[in-house]
């Protein structure tokens, strides 16, 4: 096939190949919240930032008083973000009208998340979508959720694909507010089900701080997207947000679920079910004080190669690194084998070695290994295209540990050293 259009690097992601039978540029985030404009500071739909602290947002008019006056949670989400990410983390914010649905905020044809992402110089990798609806909003619940939640998964999935396919390659992960959970676990929509959303770069946050939720009526239905977004902004791409060694959630004093339900409302079996259905919330760990994120749940089947947030973040970073490296080869003049008319093996090996070294260096500690293969049986003269295959071995995640404890009979056994 003869290629047309601007010379470019095109990356595709393989799926179905895994053997599963620090605040940085990787953590630049966007948070979309409901609110009103502040005269002289920002208009609705403006892309604000990047903020690097809560004080930046407050200077721009998004204060605790702004929340209470306008019955919104803009300041709350930003405060939670910085409570987890720490000062220095880059956060963009967009305030939109209460009438704007989350599904519309994530719609690739609407001027919300798409507008913020379209400027590649911002480098946004993580997007939080939240909403406090207007008083006239009266949803018909399905699967224990406001339908806007599930619809937002669909639009975010489409926007993610659009951003990845963009010539500037902007792979992002979305965190949707699972607001207004109706409380019944058994009939809660299963995001991991076969035939479900299949959105492997979209997560739904169902957990919140029950103390905040109980403080004022309009806060009862919120989920702590800002807190989850902040934790992911802080950690390296390969790291689980639920990693116990990274410490408790600073912003969660009393774990709960959106809709006004406390963590203690549910049995261990019910909590397991919520986890298995693919939602992010906050949980306790035996022998530890405070609360932790339950895991890196994504709205897709567990058989998907990217069924955990860090798996998607790792492969997205690897694809970005490949794009950066291979861009030097655009419109480059390369030798052709005089006998076959194809790429010489020496050229293929040079690309393989240089790209492997580049990714290994850029992702030190973030991947287990990487391999690169350039098939020499490529007719560059005919197609003007070189296909490069990149194989990434991610880190493994110790989600389930089994400790067998028993007495030892020293008369017949030897104590292990």
């Amino acid at each position: 096939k003869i290629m047309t259009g601007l010379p470019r690097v095109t990356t595709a992601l393989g799926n179905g190949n895994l053997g599963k039978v620090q605040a940085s540029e990787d953590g630049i985030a966007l948070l979309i919240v409901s609110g009103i404009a502040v005269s002289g500071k920002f208009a609705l739909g403006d892309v604000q930032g990047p903020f690097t602290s809560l004080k930046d947002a407050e200077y721009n008019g998004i204060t605790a008083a702004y929340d209470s006056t306008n019955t919104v949670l803009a300041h709350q989400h930003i405060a939670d973000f910085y409570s987890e990410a720490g000062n220095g983390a880059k956060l963009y914010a967009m305030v939109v009208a209460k009438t704007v649905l989350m599904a519309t905020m994530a719609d690739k044809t609407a001027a919300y998340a798409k507008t913020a992402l379209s400027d590649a110089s911002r480098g946004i990798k993580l997007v939080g979508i939240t909403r406090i609806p207007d008083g006239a909003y009266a949803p018909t619940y399905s699967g224990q959720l406001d339908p806007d939640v599930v619809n937002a998964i669909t639009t975010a999935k489409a926007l993610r694909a659009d951003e990845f396919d963009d010539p500037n390659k902007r792979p992002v992960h979305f965190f949707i507010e699972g607001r207004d959970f109706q409380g019944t676990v058994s009939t809660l929509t299963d995001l991991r089900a076969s035939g479900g959303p299949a959105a492997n770069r979209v997560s739904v946050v169902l957990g919140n701080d029950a103390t905040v939720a109980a403080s004022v009526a309009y806060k009862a239905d919120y989920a702590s997207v800002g807190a989850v977004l902040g934790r992911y902004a802080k950690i390296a791409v390969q790291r689980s947000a639920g990693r116990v060694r990274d410490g408790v959630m600073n912003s969660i004093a009393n774990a709960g679920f959106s809709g006004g339900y406390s963590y203690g409302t549910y049995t261990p079996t019910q909590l397991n079910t919520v986890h298995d259905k693919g939602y992010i919330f906050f949980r306790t760990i035996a022998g530890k004080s405070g609360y932790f994120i339950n895991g890196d749940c994504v709205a897709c089947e567990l058989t998907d190669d990217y069924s955990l947030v860090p798996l998607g973040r790792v492969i997205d970073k690897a694809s970005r690194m490949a794009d950066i490296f291979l861009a030097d080869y655009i419109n480059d003049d390369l030798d052709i084998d005089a006998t076959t008319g194809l790429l010489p093996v020496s050229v293929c090996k040079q690309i393989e070695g240089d790209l492997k070294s580049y990714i290994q260096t850029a992702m030190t500690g973030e991947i287990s290994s990487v391999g690169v293969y350039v098939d020499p049986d490529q007719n560059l003269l005919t197609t003007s295209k070189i296909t490069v295959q990149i194989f990434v071995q991610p880190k493994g995640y110790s989600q389930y540990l089994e400790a067998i404890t028993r007495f030892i009979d020293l008369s017949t056994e030897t104590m292990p050293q």
Side-chain angles (χ1 to χ4, degrees):
K1 178 181 177 181
I2 297 176
M3 302 296 291
T4 59
L6 288 172
R8 60 198 181 275
V9 177
T10 302
T11 306
L13 298 183
N15 201 334
N17 301 305
L18 275 184
K20 287 202 292 187
V21 181
Q22 11 244 287
S24 68
E25 295 300 296
D26 300 320
I28 298 175
L30 165 69
L31 184 60
I32 303 182
V33 295
S34 300
I36 67 166
V38 175
S39 178
K41 294 293 186 179
F42 63 86
L44 293 179
D46 283 354
V47 181
Q48 303 176 54
F51 301 146
T52 56
S53 70
L54 177 60
K55 288 188 179 298
D56 289 346
E58 292 174 337
Y59 178 78
N60 222 37
I62 304 176
T63 63
Y66 174 89
D67 276 9
S68 59
T69 299
N70 300 300
T71 60
V72 294
L73 286 163
H75 182 269
Q76 181 73 56
H77 282 300
I78 295 173
D80 288 349
F81 176 89
Y82 280 107
S83 181
E84 301 303 331
N87 289 342
K90 291 183 180 179
L91 175 68
Y92 291 90
M94 177 183 287
V95 178
V96 305
K98 290 184 177 183
T99 53
V100 179
L101 296 168
M102 292 191 294
T104 304
M105 296 177 198
D107 193 322
K108 67 180 183 179
T109 66
Y112 298 106
K114 181 64 176 179
T115 296
L117 294 171
S118 291
D119 185 344
S121 67
R122 295 187 178 114
I124 296 167
K125 311 298 192 306
L126 307 168
V127 179
I129 304 289
T130 74
R131 186 189 182 205
I132 293 288
D134 60 300
Y137 184 67
T140 300
Y141 297 92
S142 176
Q144 296 296 301
L145 295 172
D146 180 337
D148 187 30
V149 175
V150 177
N151 292 339
I153 297 174
T154 301
T155 56
K157 175 183 176 181
L159 177 53
R160 148 72 197 195
D162 198 58
E163 289 299 295
F164 189 85
D165 292 340
D166 188 273
N168 289 311
K169 182 63 63 61
R170 298 184 294 258
V172 293
H173 192 101
F174 289 86
F175 297 89
I176 307 296
E177 184 176 17
R179 62 175 316 280
D180 206 4
F181 171 43
Q182 295 298 288
T184 303
V185 170
S186 61
T187 54
L188 176 63
T189 298
D190 188 350
L191 302 179
R192 296 287 204 184
S194 175
N200 60 20
R201 295 305 195 285
V202 183
S203 297
V204 176
V205 180
L206 206 64
N208 68 12
D209 187 302
T211 301
V212 172
S215 63
V216 183
Y218 77 84
K219 298 182 179 182
D221 296 332
Y222 97 107
S224 298
V225 170
V228 173
L229 196 67
R231 181 52 66 106
Y232 279 107
K234 178 181 180 179
I235 60 180
V237 293
Q238 89 286 356
R239 184 138 295 161
S240 169
R243 185 174 185 256
V244 174
R245 289 182 185 273
D246 285 338
V248 300
M249 295 294 292
N250 301 314
S251 58
I252 306 299
N254 182 18
F257 291 88
S258 72
Y261 301 93
S262 70
Y263 180 78
T265 300
Y266 298 100
T267 65
T269 298
Q270 289 174 315
L271 294 171
N272 287 338
T273 298
V274 177
H275 175 85
D276 290 343
K277 288 186 174 184
Y279 296 87
I280 292 177
F281 58 94
F282 310 108
R283 50 84 59 99
T284 56
I285 300 285
K288 303 288 185 181
S289 60
Y291 296 94
F292 302 82
I293 288 179
N294 64 307
D296 306 284
C297 297
V298 180
C300 67
E301 293 185 66
L302 286 171
T303 53
D304 191 299
D305 279 359
Y306 314 117
S307 62
L308 296 174
V309 177
L311 295 175
R313 296 185 74 193
V314 164
I315 206 72
D316 283 349
K317 182 170 182 178
S319 72
R320 293 197 307 272
M321 295 303 101
D323 275 11
I324 292 169
F325 175 85
L326 292 172
D328 284 345
Y329 283 87
I330 293 175
N331 286 332
D332 196 11
D333 51 290
L334 299 173
D335 290 332
I336 298 297
D337 189 288
T339 302
T340 65
L342 304 175
L343 280 174
V345 172
S346 60
V347 172
C348 296
K349 293 302 179 184
Q350 179 180 344
I351 295 174
E352 289 173 359
D354 290 350
L355 178 53
K356 178 178 179 178
S357 177
Y358 183 83
I359 293 176
Q360 284 178 325
T361 300
M363 302 187 69
T364 300
E366 297 174 341
I367 55 177
S368 296
S369 63
V370 62
V372 180
Y373 175 66
V374 181
D375 188 347
D377 189 18
Q378 299 188 57
N379 194 323
L380 183 61
L381 291 176
T382 300
T383 66
S384 298
K385 173 183 176 181
I386 301 175
T387 297
V388 180
Q389 297 184 60
I390 303 165
F391 308 94
V392 177
Q393 179 67 48
K395 298 279 189 174
Y397 297 93
S398 51
Q399 297 184 72
Y400 306 100
L401 293 90
E402 180 179 8
I404 300 174
T405 309
R406 65 180 179 86
F407 288 113
I408 189 168
D409 185 348
L410 294 177
S411 66
T412 58
E413 300 177 85
T414 302
M415 179 71 74
Q417 299 300 310

